[in-house]
Amino acid sequence: MTVTRIREYRNLRGMTVRQLADRAGVSTGLISQVERGVTDPSLETMRRIAEVLDVPLFSLFQDGDDQTVAVIRHDDRYRISSPHHAITYTRASPGGAKLEVLEGSLEPGAVSSDSLRSHPSEECVVVLSGRLTIEVGDQTHLIKTGDSCYFDSHIPHRFRNEGRTTVRFMISVTPPSY
């Protein structure tokens, strides 16, 4: 189980557990368990909590160390996934950096979210293996191994895997918002 910084951000905003739970649409028990590191919530739950707290998703797992050089070992990366692990992200960059780099994997037939989402950032996605369909506004792009796609994240977007194998990709986001 991962201990998060939810309590820290909640307290900075003067919010009670009940207020955060109500605004995020989850139970107070879940917030309490997550704050104590007893359970790991789903990706969607963490997104809602981050939105209520008005912080980038992965800042909830931030180390808090200001370093000019950071080495993040593969096995030490923060990881978050959807309830059925259809999509998984690991953070390859340090918490608190001005640029966030994530490695993602998306299972066959899965989507990154039920609906298109936007956030105040810019993204560049590089497909490491497989094929990734990227929906940005009313445009759809098929990105193959080695291809990349840059877009303004203010435009609602999501990722789909319409293939038969897991797709792996890297995402660079600035400023961090995941």
Side-chain angles (χ1 to χ4, degrees):
M1 299 302 160
T2 304
V3 177
T4 68
R5 297 181 68 197
I6 292 172
R7 179 181 289 129
E8 176 185 342
Y9 284 115
R10 180 178 57 75
N11 287 334
L12 281 171
R13 283 152 182 75
M15 295 176 74
T16 65
V17 170
R18 160 84 45 219
Q19 289 170 323
L20 176 58
D22 288 348
R23 292 179 191 166
V26 298
S27 70
T28 55
L30 178 64
I31 296 292
S32 177
Q33 289 176 351
V34 172
E35 285 186 350
R36 291 181 288 127
V38 173
T39 190
D40 286 330
S42 71
L43 175 60
E44 183 58 32
T45 297
M46 289 301 287
R47 281 181 175 157
R48 289 191 309 231
I49 290 169
E51 286 174 11
V52 170
L53 295 173
D54 194 29
V55 297
L57 173 64
F58 271 93
S59 70
L60 296 176
F61 305 97
Q62 189 169 315
D63 301 328
D65 295 337
D66 289 333
Q67 302 172 353
T68 55
V69 175
V71 175
I72 295 93
R73 303 289 178 204
H74 185 270
D75 292 341
D76 295 333
R77 289 184 189 172
Y78 287 111
R79 178 177 189 245
I80 191 163
S81 60
S82 63
H84 303 291
H85 306 287
I87 189 162
T88 301
Y89 292 108
T90 61
R91 188 176 65 201
S93 57
K98 294 176 186 167
L99 172 70
E100 187 166 55
V101 179
L102 306 171
E103 182 175 351
S105 65
L106 187 60
E107 296 298 318
V111 293
S112 59
S113 62
D114 292 335
S115 60
L116 301 179
R117 298 180 154 273
S118 65
H119 47 90
S121 299
E122 298 174 46
E123 291 186 42
C124 185
V125 180
V126 179
V127 175
L128 303 174
S129 65
R131 295 174 180 223
L132 184 65
T133 300
I134 301 176
E135 296 176 60
V136 182
D138 60 359
Q139 299 179 25
T140 301
H141 304 278
L142 177 61
I143 310 302
K144 300 175 185 176
T145 300
D147 292 345
S148 61
C149 179
Y150 164 85
F151 56 92
D152 182 334
S153 304
H154 286 92
I155 302 168
H157 59 279
R158 72 176 176 175
F159 308 137
R160 292 192 331 247
N161 182 353
E162 296 173 338
R164 288 182 264 168
T165 61
T166 299
V167 63
R168 289 185 46 248
F169 53 96
M170 295 294 288
I171 305 175
S172 297
V173 183
T174 187
S177 63
Y178 271 87

